[in-house]
Amino acid sequence: MSGSAPSLPPLPPFPRTRLRRLRQYGWSRRLVAEHRLHASDLVLPLFVLEGNGQREPVPSMPGVERLSVDLLPAVAERCLALGIPALALFPVTPRERKSEGGEEAWNPDNLVCRAMRALKTRLPEIGLIGDVALDPYTTHGQDGILRDGVILNDETLTALARQAVCLAEAGCDVVAPSDMMDGRIGVVRSALDEAGFAGTLVLSYAAKYASAFYGPFRDAVGSAAALGAADKKTYQMDPANSAEAVREAALDIAEAADMLMVKPGLPYLDIIRILKDRFGMPTFAYHVSGEYAMIKAAAERGWLDGAACMDEALLALKRAGADAILTYAALEVAERLRERG
Ligand code: PBG
């Protein structure tokens, strides 16, 4: 805990103390490593498409493809074989299914619900995480209900509760409110309990910042065009703030969140550390689309070693206190971990 760390005993000065002694050998570095990446810490986000046999690369996220529902079980099997415990599904909603109020969010036959059902029946042992927010379904691309230029908090809560129950009915194990409305965790928890889903977990995007690093994600799901020049600054957090993240997390815990998430990841390592130390909750980090794209783009130009930078970025998230990480690189990282043994 910051401030209460025991003070170090006096170190015998150089030349008796040489911190490089431990760094001399591969074996000694491995023995004293304080943090490690495991496949079991990773969650793979997937973009889901309508149709059959459909596979579309996302140009701003090299190595990432949008996939139709029939192609998901093969990816899920690969995750399980590599030890990745869970998937997070994001629908690419066709334009004609979007509306002002985002009603498609609680259609039991919507794309993400069909994907959840297909995966749960085929591979019940993989964890399924579903985003709770209206942006995939609204014509304006905002996460909540918009009236006269204002995102209505309390009206949105009713919609989110319906969406969460709809996801749980489809087999979603973890609902993850990512909308940043006030009071959403409590409302979602109550709705799940009343509908008989007391066992469905709630992963709160407790500290989700109004970040420019979500750009490639919005391209991938097609919400960028809907959003246009608008932003999400009246509900997502100001990147200038950290004390506010503590208040957000405290409220979500009081409303019975099972897990907290910080998003984005690398630019917000301080927030991960603060929340982990302060609350000791299971704390996730979302290594978001823009963070992934930066490394991939530089690697494509030969400016960075992409694999080494990706591993280092994810390890840094663990060092900061993250228990688990959502990352588009989950499969490649798990493969490297397996090769290294
Ligand atoms: C939607 C949502 C977003 C992301 C996850 N859920 C985008 C946004 O809030 O605009 C971003 C993920 C990423 O960039 O990888 N509420």
Side-chain angles (χ1 to χ4, degrees):
M1 178 98 51
S2 55
S4 63
S7 56
L8 287 174
L11 290 176
F14 172 82
R16 290 168 73 77
T17 293
R18 291 177 183 268
L19 292 181
R20 286 184 57 196
R21 264 189 217 114
L22 280 168
R23 297 182 202 138
Q24 286 181 89
Y25 311 109
W27 60 261
S28 60
R29 290 192 294 271
R30 284 201 299 282
L31 280 173
V32 302
E34 297 174 48
H35 300 280
R36 243 176 273 275
L37 271 179
H38 292 279
S40 57
D41 301 324
L42 305 177
V43 174
L44 176 68
L46 286 173
F47 299 118
V48 190
L49 272 182
E50 285 291 353
N52 248 295
Q54 298 298 308
R55 179 188 282 287
E56 284 176 8
V58 180
S60 52
M61 300 177 73
V64 173
E65 291 177 320
R66 309 178 184 99
L67 299 171
S68 55
V69 173
D70 57 308
L71 301 179
L72 298 177
V75 180
E77 269 166 29
R78 236 175 108 212
C79 286
L80 283 175
L82 287 165
I84 297 170
L87 302 173
L89 303 183
F90 295 97
V92 183
T93 308
R95 273 182 80 109
E96 64 275 13
R97 297 247 139 230
K98 297 190 186 190
S99 60
E100 189 72 20
E103 287 83 1
E104 179 70 1
W106 54 92
N107 168 6
D109 277 321
N110 71 20
L111 183 53
V112 76
C113 288
R114 278 181 277 129
M116 295 275 174
R117 275 196 294 272
L119 285 164
K120 257 297 125 167
T121 15
R122 293 273 297 277
L123 297 153
E125 65 274 41
I126 199 149
L128 296 179
I129 303 177
D131 229 47
V132 174
L134 299 183
D135 58 319
Y137 308 106
T138 51
T139 38
H140 44 74
Q142 297 285 358
D143 293 16
I145 291 166
L146 179 69
R147 199 165 303 145
D148 302 326
V150 176
I151 307 295
L152 303 177
N153 193 86
D154 301 12
E155 289 77 352
T156 301
L157 294 183
T158 315
L160 298 174
R162 295 177 77 171
Q163 181 182 22
V165 171
C166 179
L167 283 165
E169 281 168 347
C172 180
D173 301 294
V174 181
V175 296
S178 73
D179 55 284
M180 292 301 281
M181 295 302 122
D182 286 319
R184 72 217 207 274
I185 301 301
V187 166
V188 162
R189 181 72 270 160
S190 301
L192 289 170
D193 288 353
E194 278 158 30
F197 294 104
T200 302
L201 289 96
V202 178
L203 164 63
S204 171
Y205 284 76
K208 176 170 179 178
Y209 286 86
S211 172
F213 287 101
Y214 308 148
F217 173 98
R218 292 180 189 168
D219 289 339
V221 298
S223 61
L227 199 58
D231 62 50
K232 301 190 177 184
K233 291 180 184 170
T234 69
Y235 46 104
Q236 297 180 347
M237 281 183 57
D238 184 341
N241 295 351
S242 57
E244 189 186 359
V246 175
R247 301 212 302 279
E248 281 285 0
L251 286 169
D252 290 356
I253 295 165
E255 291 172 33
D258 298 290
M259 298 165 282
L260 305 179
M261 184 137 69
V262 174
K263 176 184 179 192
L266 228 43
Y268 297 86
L269 292 179
D270 56 328
I271 308 299
I272 299 171
R273 171 51 60 203
I274 290 169
L275 296 191
K276 187 68 198 177
D277 284 349
R278 189 78 180 248
F279 299 111
M281 289 284 288
T283 304
F284 287 31
Y286 200 141
H287 186 244
V288 301
S289 58
E291 301 178 73
Y292 172 90
M294 286 195 297
I295 294 176
K296 290 290 178 184
E300 277 185 355
R301 294 185 172 202
W303 290 355
L304 283 180
D305 176 339
C309 287
M310 196 66 80
D311 294 352
E312 183 179 331
L314 301 186
L315 182 62
L317 292 166
K318 289 221 63 189
R319 194 195 60 239
D323 298 291
I325 305 167
L326 277 77
T327 173
Y328 303 95
L331 281 170
E332 58 160 273
V333 171
E335 272 158 14
R336 281 198 290 278
L337 290 169
R338 170 150 303 187
E339 278 162 28
R340 267 182 240 141

